Amino acid sequence: MTESVASTRPFEGLQIPAAGTYELDAAHKRVGFVARHLMVSKVRGQFAEAGATITIAEDPLQSSVTASITTASIETGQVDRDNHLRSGDFFESEKYPTIEFRSTGIKSHAGAEFVLDGELTIKGVTKPVELVVEFEGATTSPYGFGVFGFSAHTEIDREDWGLTWNMALESGGVMVGKKIKIEIEGEAIRQA
């Protein structure tokens, strides 16, 4: 099936996606995070299940995104740690099955970098966040669908969302750092 409209258009020196609704491609995405451990190293993880709807507006600066992440799909490569993260000490996955994000506007842009203001909801707590999004390019897939790629990142203080579990270390400091880096890579496919 082929689209009857162009998949890209010019915008301030970029070839951006045509206006329309795009869905995050489950086969080409990573929703990850980095946390400090024992004050000396980093633990990386990801959520295997996440979805997003991106609406590219006629005026690209009016575009928006909503996303939902399944908390029980957390993976860090260590089963006991993953189970602890799903528990009441952290995400309470049974009570709060998803993390939600909703953009509230594009704050600024320079070249291929766009800064999105949005609201992040974790464990029923909604707080503002700023997401830096790097537009990676747009094309038409071999199947005739418009596709674009992006990467995004932000840093949050997990305690702002009630993720306060920790353990003091004899040597000083804590087991888990408060600052969490969120890293997202993905492709989005045009739906309409």
Side-chain angles (χ1 to χ4, degrees):
M1 176 176 184
T2 12
E3 292 184 339
S4 58
V5 296
S7 63
T8 65
R9 60 191 165 140
F11 174 73
E12 297 186 7
L14 301 171
Q15 279 299 117
I16 66 167
T21 302
Y22 295 75
E23 295 288 332
L24 184 63
D25 182 357
H28 298 98
K29 62 106 177 94
R30 180 177 185 276
V31 178
F33 60 89
V34 181
R36 297 287 292 171
H37 182 250
L38 298 177
M39 310 298 292
V40 297
S41 67
K42 297 174 182 172
V43 170
R44 294 182 184 278
Q46 67 180 358
F47 293 91
E49 296 173 22
T53 300
I54 303 160
T55 303
I56 304 295
E58 286 296 333
D59 172 357
L61 299 179
Q62 298 299 312
S63 298
S64 63
V65 61
T66 59
S68 185
I69 300 163
T70 304
T71 57
S73 73
I74 196 165
E75 301 171 341
T76 65
Q78 212 281 326
V79 173
D80 289 340
R81 179 173 47 225
D82 295 348
N83 288 333
H84 188 204
L85 289 167
R86 291 179 189 112
S87 79
D89 285 344
F90 288 95
F91 289 111
E92 289 185 79
S93 293
E94 286 187 21
K95 184 174 181 183
Y96 302 102
T98 61
I99 295 169
E100 303 290 330
F101 174 80
R102 180 183 72 83
S103 67
T104 56
I106 296 177
K107 180 178 187 174
S108 64
H109 76 96
E113 184 178 281
F114 295 80
V115 179
L116 270 66
D117 280 333
E119 295 177 340
L120 182 64
T121 302
I122 303 173
K123 290 179 69 170
V125 177
T126 301
K127 299 271 185 186
V129 294
E130 187 176 281
L131 193 63
V132 178
V133 179
E134 186 75 23
F135 171 66
E136 303 286 356
T139 190
T140 301
S141 77
Y143 308 105
F145 296 105
V147 177
F148 71 91
F150 65 93
S151 59
H153 67 274
T154 192
E155 185 175 88
I156 64 170
D157 182 332
R158 66 186 177 88
E159 292 185 352
D160 290 345
W161 282 268
L163 302 170
T164 59
W165 183 91
N166 225 329
M167 183 181 293
L169 302 175
E170 273 186 40
S171 57
V174 291
M175 182 176 286
V176 183
K178 290 180 5 172
K179 299 290 185 188
I180 306 296
K181 292 180 182 174
I182 299 171
E183 305 169 332
I184 304 163
E185 301 280 339
E187 291 179 12
I189 303 172
R190 185 170 181 170
Q191 306 297 302

